[in-house]
């Protein structure tokens, strides 16, 4: 079985402060992990992906995520939040298993950035 | 390069009717996946088409079906619409099939309202 849990449904930060969006996963197989962002009334945009290369992954707009196998986590961070970062963020885990390909989206974390 | 396009963007249907949504992937992309997004259930995977064949399927009833054409364009059909089918339907394209672990590029979605 495979699943992904985004630990916070809402996160609020002040502009210029660090952002931490938490994601835990479970997978019996070697997973690929992704973070996507969705701005209001828009489709999803890929921020970054992990596919068993370097454990620290750098993405667009200053975001990065660290794959920690021992903690089964893939948290998304950014050193300094910008107003334009306010959006919904989704953690996604995919894996090939004996029963086929599986893909799971987290429930999403809504990021609010205050002035 | 043009992004993923979906038509129509908004649709209102009555219970019991059927609906067809269309998706044109990024040029050169051969995989098209469909997702349903609702406030209650979040993002759920419907199915993936690659080279005109359904490769993966989520846990949705048979009322939801799709197909892919030789130019990789895809259509999704929902028959006998129910109120619970009201959702944002997102299409995503990928260079190769999802099992390859590649990222997906999402369209803006079709907002379906069933009355």
């Amino acid at each position: 079985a495979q699943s992904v849990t985004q630990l916070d449904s809402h996160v609020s930060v002040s502009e210029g402060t660090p952002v931490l969006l938490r994601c835990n996963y479970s997978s019996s197989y070697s997973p690929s992990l992704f973070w996507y962002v969705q701005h209001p009334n828009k489709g999803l945009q890929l921020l970054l992906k992990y596919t068993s290369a370097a454990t620290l992954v750098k993405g667009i707009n200053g975001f990065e995520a660290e794959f920690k196998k021992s903690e089964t986590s893939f948290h998304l961070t950014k050193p300094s939040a910008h107003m334009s970062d306010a959006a919904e963020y989704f953690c996604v885990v995919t894996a090939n298993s004996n029963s086929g390909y599986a893909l799971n989206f987290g429930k999403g974390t809504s990021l609010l950035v205050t002035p | 390069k043009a992004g993923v396009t979906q038509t129509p963007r908004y649709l209102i249907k009555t219970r019991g009717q059927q609906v067809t949504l269309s998706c044109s992937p990024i040029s050169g992309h051969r995989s098209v996946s469909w997702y349903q997004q609702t406030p209650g259930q979040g993002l759920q995977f419907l199915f993936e088409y690659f080279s005109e064949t359904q490769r993966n399927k989520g846990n949705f009833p048979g009322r939801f079906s799709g197909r892919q054409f030789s130019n990789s364009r895809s259509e999704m059909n929902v028959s006998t619409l129910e109120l619970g089918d009201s959702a944002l339907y997102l299409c995503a394209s990928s260079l190769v099939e999802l099992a390859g672990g590649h990222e997906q590029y999402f369209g803006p979605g079709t907002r379906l309202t069933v009355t």
Side-chain angles (χ1 to χ4, degrees):
Chain A
Q2 177 176 279
S3 66
V4 57
T5 303
Q6 290 183 242
L7 298 169
D8 307 291
S9 58
H10 295 84
V11 169
S12 181
V13 300
S14 299
E15 189 176 20
T17 65
V19 175
L20 170 63
L21 304 183
R22 299 182 294 166
C23 173
N24 284 358
Y25 71 93
S26 70
S27 179
S28 303
Y29 301 86
S30 297
S32 295
L33 295 157
F34 305 81
W35 275 100
Y36 286 87
V37 60
Q38 185 178 32
H39 288 92
N41 301 313
K42 296 282 183 68
L44 278 71
Q45 180 185 20
L46 177 70
L47 279 176
L48 49 81
K49 68 173 181 177
Y50 166 79
T51 53
S52 76
T55 56
L56 182 63
V57 182
K58 293 189 184 297
I60 62 171
N61 301 333
F63 284 95
E64 62 181 37
E66 186 172 7
F67 174 71
K68 291 186 177 181
K69 188 175 182 179
S70 61
E71 299 176 12
T72 61
S73 69
F74 190 56
H75 300 336
L76 181 70
T77 60
K78 182 173 180 177
S80 176
H82 191 272
M83 296 297 291
S84 61
D85 294 329
E88 190 86 11
Y89 291 79
F90 294 93
C91 181
V92 182
V93 60
T94 71
N96 288 310
S97 69
N98 291 337
S99 55
Y101 176 81
L103 180 152
N104 297 89
F105 273 82
K107 292 290 189 184
T109 297
S110 180
L111 177 63
L112 174 66
V113 182
T114 57
Chain B
K1 192 183 273 192
V4 178
T5 58
Q6 292 185 246
T7 56
R9 292 292 311 280
Y10 301 91
L11 205 50
I12 300 175
K13 290 286 189 178
T14 304
R15 265 186 311 175
Q17 288 185 316
Q18 67 95 25
V19 67
T20 300
L21 312 182
S22 181
C23 172
S24 292
I26 291 172
S27 178
H29 284 197
R30 296 169 60 195
S31 167
V32 174
S33 298
W34 289 89
Y35 299 86
Q36 182 194 66
Q37 186 177 26
T38 60
Q41 298 298 318
L43 268 157
Q44 294 183 285
F45 173 70
L46 279 156
F47 32 65
E48 177 202 8
Y49 284 86
F50 179 78
S51 294
E52 302 178 62
T53 304
Q54 188 179 88
R55 292 302 179 103
N56 296 286
K57 190 175 189 303
N59 190 25
F60 277 82
R63 298 186 297 108
F64 292 82
S65 64
R67 60 177 175 167
Q68 186 179 34
F69 303 94
S70 58
N71 61 358
S72 294
R73 189 178 70 85
S74 176
E75 288 182 345
M76 188 191 86
N77 185 274
V78 187
S79 62
T80 320
L81 284 166
E82 301 176 0
L83 294 178
D85 297 333
S86 294
L88 180 67
Y89 289 88
L90 292 165
C91 163
S93 76
S94 182
L95 196 59
V96 296
E97 57 186 314
L98 291 180
H102 284 253
E103 63 268 30
Q104 299 175 76
Y105 296 84
F106 284 79
T110 294
R111 173 75 62 185
L112 172 65
T113 302
V114 182
T115 62

